[in-house]
Amino acid sequence: MSDILPFKRKGPVPDLTLGFLNSPGHKRDADFYLNHFLSFPAESFAILVLNEDILRDELDAVLFEVRYLMRLGLYPLVLIQSTDTFLERLEIESYFKRAKMALNFMSRDLTDEEKVEFVKVRIDKNMIPLVHVDPNKNLFKEIWNFAHLLKTHKIILLKKQGGLVNTEENSLVGIVNLNDADNLLRQTLTLNDDDTKYLKNCEGLIHK
């Protein structure tokens, strides 16, 4: 990973940003969804979930895209599932600072009301709110809790393995409507156990 993330990239909107905005790649669609998400409370925009594989191999790309979102006025809550040792070795706070991005980790002993206030205050200060989730904890439970507290409109779960494949069209499924997850499971898809578990528990998770 590089020490500094340049932010002078021109051209198409980054892929992850398009995923956040529900757009298949057209600027007019991205503009529509940008205005759509900006019409909601800032803390309800999205939850971005990262694991150790993504942090180790893709952090440069992820931070580039998150900073792009920040320039658009969109601030996702970032959930990081990793060991304490991994985070210490990665020096993630110093890495964000070198990338000219401000962040703040949420304390683990906050009440639900304090968690919501933490996110709101950090976003008001143009900071990325981060939550560290221990690998031994139920990640889905954490996602579910924050999604309901913040009335989240999108969840981005970045993975190096697994994912959904439409076996009839032989194509990856990049965007899932979690309010219709049960119907998706009835389609012809290739899923691993983790992906199936997430989908089965995601019905109605996203705030409309």
Side-chain angles (χ1 to χ4, degrees), residues 69-87:
L69 288 167
M70 293 171 66
R71 286 179 64 121
L72 296 175
L74 299 171
Y75 292 78
L77 170 70
V78 179
L79 263 63
I80 294 178
Q81 186 173 42
S82 73
T83 64
D84 290 330
T85 301
F86 181 88
L87 275 187

Side-chain angles (χ1 to χ4, degrees), residues 50-52 55 80-87 108 132-140 142 197-198:
L50 309 175
N51 59 23
E52 291 187 1
L55 291 171
I80 294 178
Q81 186 173 42
S82 73
T83 64
D84 290 330
T85 301
F86 181 88
L87 275 187
R108 295 177 177 175
H132 177 223
V133 180
D134 188 274
N136 295 320
K137 284 194 172 183
N138 186 323
L139 177 61
F140 176 78
E142 296 293 326
K197 177 183 66 176
Y198 281 121

Side-chain angles (χ1 to χ4, degrees), residues 99-138:
K100 304 186 187 308
M101 295 171 65
L103 65 92
N104 199 203
F105 272 101
M106 182 182 293
S107 172
R108 295 177 177 175
D109 57 357
L110 300 182
T111 65
D112 285 349
E113 293 77 10
E114 289 171 336
K115 290 176 181 177
V116 174
E117 184 64 18
F118 175 93
V119 174
K120 289 181 177 180
V121 169
R122 269 59 189 180
I123 292 176
D124 285 344
K125 294 181 178 180
N126 299 319
M127 302 175 73
I128 292 293
L130 271 76
V131 176
H132 177 223
V133 180
D134 188 274
N136 295 320
K137 284 194 172 183
N138 186 323

Side-chain angles (χ1 to χ4, degrees), residues 144-160:
W144 179 274
N145 183 47
F146 279 105
H148 281 282
L149 286 176
L150 302 174
K151 297 181 171 58
T152 301
H153 289 85
K154 291 189 72 65
I155 294 174
I156 301 292
L157 179 61
L158 295 184
K159 303 177 64 178
K160 297 279 287 184

Side-chain angles (χ1 to χ4, degrees), residues 51 53-54 56-58 157-165 172 190-195 198:
N51 59 23
D53 287 342
I54 295 295
R56 181 177 55 250
D57 301 331
E58 307 291 345
L157 179 61
L158 295 184
K159 303 177 64 178
K160 297 279 287 184
Q161 298 178 347
L164 310 180
V165 177
L172 291 172
T190 298
L191 307 97
N192 62 25
D193 290 341
D194 284 341
D195 296 326
Y198 281 121

